[in-house]
Structure formats: C-alpha cells, structure tokens
Amino acid sequence: MELKSFSYNSMSTFEIAKSCSTFFSNSRHKFGVRYSNEFNCNRGLFLKTYSASDESCFAAVTTSSHSVDGINGSTPSLYYRNLLLGAFDDEYGGVVIDPNRLPQDSYAFASMLCLSLSHWKKLGKKGIWLKLPLEKSDLVPVAVKEGFEYHHAEPGYVMLTYWIPEGPCMLPANASHQVGIGGFVINDNDEVLVVQEKHCSPATLGLWKIPTGFIHEAEEIYTGAVREVKEETGIDTDFIEVIAFRHVHNVAFEKSDLFFICMLRPLSSSITVDDHEIEAAKWMPLVEFVEQPLIQEDSMFKKIVDIFIARLGKRYCGLSTHQVVSKFDGKISSLYYNVIDNDDANCVGK
C-alpha cells in the first residue's frame, strides 16, 4: 500500500485531509473510514479514521476558512492537533519530532507525517528532525518514502532529516571526524612506556609504540589520553600538554581523523597489560625506542619523536589546557594554547 504524493503548498488543509481519507478508503483491509456529522458546525468536517490493528482514533477538523496555526502560534483545533505528530521548535526555525510520542502503527504514522509536513510547510518551517528509536525501525521506510534522508545513526536510533525550503539544505552535516589520542610517557630513567598491539596492520608488526586510542563521547582530550594509558598498561599519569596533532582524511568510512599526541607524566611504574588489546607492554630506553627501523623509516613517526625530544630538552612548548567559559553558550570549554610568558613555564618558546 502506498501513500500517494501530492503538492502540499497547492492544497487547502481540507483537501489534504480529503486526500488522506481517500488513502484510507482505498485500504479498507487496513482501515475503516467513517464520517460523522456530530461535529459538523462552523469548524467543518470531522473525519475519524480507525486502524484495524489497534482501533486507535485520529481526528481532523478543518475547513479552508478555519485558521490553523501551529507551533509557537495560536493553538490549532484540538481535533486537527490530534492528527499531527508531537513535536517542538528548534532555535533555527525548524522542528524536532518527539520520538516518545510516535504512533505505534506505521499506517497511522504515514498519515500523521503527511499532514504534519503540510502543516509545517504552511508555517514556514525549515528543517525537520526525526529520531527513530531501534524499536520503531519499521517507520524508516515510511519516512524515506515521504522524502526524509539519513543523517546519522547510533546503536539505539537512526536520525533522519527533511529540508522544506527550496534550494540547498542548510542543516548541519553529520560528524566528519573521529578523534584519536596517543600518550607519550617517559620516566626519570629516560624510559618510554611502549606497547605492542594484538591486532595491528602488517606494516606495524613488531613495532613498539606509544599507547593510543579513541576519545569517548563527551570526553576531554587530556582525560582520554590518561584513560587510554591506564587501560592498556595500568600506569597512572598526569597530563602535561599536547605536543602535536595530525590531521588526515578518508581514514574510516570516508571520515577524517584528528590524532593528538599528548605528553604525560607517570605516577606509577608497575605495568598491568590489557589482555584484550595489548600483546605486551614495557618501559623501553628512549634511545632504543628512537632507533627502531619502523620509526627511522617513517617521516611522520620520526618527526613526532624529534618534537618529543625537543620538548624534553625545553626547546619546544606544547599546548596546555585551560578551562574557560564563553558567554555565547555559557559552557566550560577546554582551550589549548602555548604559554611562553609565564615564570613557571618549564619550556622555552621559540
């Protein structure tokens, strides 16, 4: 069964309701349609639709002369409002559909989505956000047929969007980057904390490398570096600064990658290996670490080591983290920058 497409802008609300009733009439094995004169007053025609699966009732009351305003406007007719999807405005002139008030039946969702889009178009809304939980995945084909597009997905839901105005879509794109971190940890004996991973590419087989990983959602760069070192080696550390970062594209599923190399101070020395990810871990003399063929033959690895050694010799300053609050959003942010005019600074800026 298909919901026939039509131009929302060229039809009155009554005509839209009539089109939807035609849809129901043509699908009597799923819906029964009844017209009632009980509310046939100055408000117009009262249309009831009954789902054969759950007997849920939706009502629409409107005529071309009956003003129906919407979100953040005057309250629309109660009966008409019952046929619209529950939603709220966003701050950019768009609409966010409430995922907690979605109908259970896909046919009811189709009719409500049809009327809701018409309603939002008449109100001049722009972007529509539709978050469908995993348990409502059967509604995805309905939304796609109506013109929604995939935006992003997480383990528990898929987000779809619909752009109403003519011209290019101005909604923000999905996240374009993944963020990784590496922890350079060196002790008082000039030994670097290194690991060999259980699962690695053939190109890095046998390489002793610094602990690395990915930042978690809502996690700071510096806390992520400390966490990864702890998880892989059992070593507790303090963050000192970011000494460099790499930016590369088309790494995983056409996404870009930001990789931050952090200098950390060890607070413990006894290594406990993470058996799930790490094959081995140890403290390796800095000279031995630098002389590994895979590091000497790779210009990027070699440059990172050169920067690290320059930082140890106080010939280079990295980026330390500072907590600041912006009046634009009122949130605490971590601002990373180089401090070279502080008497307590332990490096010399160039």
Side-chain angles (χ1 to χ4, degrees):
M1 179 173 62
E2 295 185 358
L3 179 62
K4 296 182 179 180
S5 60
F6 51 85
S7 173
Y8 299 112
N9 294 328
S10 61
M11 303 179 70
S12 68
T13 311
F14 176 80
E15 291 172 320
I16 294 169
K18 183 178 179 182
S19 296
C20 288
S21 70
T22 301
F23 163 73
F24 295 132
S25 298
N26 292 336
S27 309
R28 293 186 182 276
H29 63 289
K30 288 291 183 181
F31 285 91
V33 180
R34 298 190 300 196
Y35 297 92
S36 171
N37 292 323
E38 179 181 356
F39 297 98
N40 191 8
C41 55
N42 61 333
R43 290 181 179 272
L45 178 67
F46 180 57
L47 168 66
K48 289 185 178 180
T49 65
Y50 292 86
S51 167
S53 61
D54 60 7
E55 291 298 318
S56 59
C57 174
F58 302 92
V61 181
T62 184
T63 66
S64 58
S65 62
H66 176 63
S67 174
V68 180
D69 297 318
I71 303 172
N72 287 343
S74 60
T75 304
S77 164
L78 173 63
Y79 311 112
Y80 183 84
R81 191 169 66 244
N82 287 340
L83 197 55
L84 298 178
L85 292 171
F88 53 89
D89 287 354
D90 66 21
E91 58 184 310
Y92 303 102
V95 174
V96 179
I97 298 173
D98 188 350
N100 298 315
R101 291 192 286 163
L102 294 171
Q104 297 295 329
D105 184 271
S106 61
Y107 296 98
F109 174 71
S111 64
M112 294 178 77
L113 185 61
C114 161
L115 286 179
S116 296
L117 287 174
S118 171
H119 181 62
W120 294 327
K121 285 183 179 183
K122 290 180 180 297
L123 292 176
K125 297 300 179 182
K126 298 177 181 178
I128 312 299
W129 296 86
L130 173 60
K131 180 180 179 180
L132 292 178
L134 194 61
E135 61 271 18
K136 297 290 183 67
S137 59
D138 59 318
L139 304 184
V140 171
V142 178
V144 170
K145 184 172 290 187
E146 197 63 50
F148 279 77
E149 297 180 347
Y150 293 121
H151 187 269
H152 69 274
E154 294 291 343
Y157 72 87
V158 61
M159 182 71 77
L160 298 98
T161 60
Y162 186 100
W163 183 249
I164 292 178
E166 295 183 1
C169 176
M170 301 301 292
L171 293 174
N174 182 26
S176 60
H177 287 66
Q178 62 182 16
V179 181
I181 44 87
F184 242 124
V185 186
I186 190 165
N187 61 20
D188 293 336
N189 298 321
D190 285 339
E191 295 173 324
V192 181
L193 182 62
V194 293
V195 300
Q196 284 186 337
E197 296 181 335
K198 281 190 174 182
H199 312 285
C200 62
S201 66
T204 60
L205 189 64
L207 173 68
W208 289 98
K209 57 184 283 294
I210 62 175
T212 59
F214 290 103
I215 294 294
H216 291 170
E217 185 175 354
E219 184 178 42
E220 298 284 356
I221 293 170
Y222 63 90
T223 55
V226 170
R227 174 188 52 77
E228 278 294 339
V229 170
K230 176 68 173 180
E231 289 178 355
E232 294 189 359
T233 69
I235 299 296
D236 295 309
T237 59
D238 269 343
F239 172 83
I240 299 177
E241 59 193 26
V242 173
I243 61 172
F245 68 89
R246 179 200 69 169
H247 192 201
V248 66
H249 307 289
N250 297 320
V251 174
F253 302 102
E254 302 179 358
K255 299 297 183 181
S256 299
D257 179 271
L258 280 169
F259 181 71
F260 292 86
I261 300 98
C262 303
M263 185 174 181
L264 307 175
R265 179 187 298 108
L267 301 177
S268 61
S269 59
S270 180
I271 294 175
T272 303
V273 172
D274 176 11
D275 293 331
H276 297 289
E277 297 184 56
I278 304 302
E279 183 67 33
K282 66 179 182 179
W283 292 100
M284 175 182 280
L286 177 59
V287 174
E288 185 179 338
F289 173 75
V290 173
E291 290 177 351
Q292 292 185 95
L294 286 175
I295 289 182
Q296 290 296 318
E297 295 168 4
D298 188 282
S299 59
M300 187 186 70
F301 281 165
K302 190 173 185 303
K303 186 62 178 177
I304 291 173
V305 172
D306 290 344
I307 293 171
F308 181 66
I309 293 175
R311 175 63 183 83
L312 291 176
K314 299 183 179 181
R315 302 187 308 274
Y316 175 89
C317 283
L319 306 176
S320 54
T321 181
H322 306 266
Q323 304 301 306
V324 296
V325 178
S326 170
K327 70 176 183 179
F328 292 105
D329 57 17
K331 296 181 179 180
I332 298 177
S333 299
S334 294
L335 186 63
Y336 293 79
Y337 58 88
N338 184 317
V339 178
I340 61 174
D341 57 354
N342 189 334
D343 293 337
D344 295 330
N346 59 358
C347 63
V348 178
K350 296 186 67 177

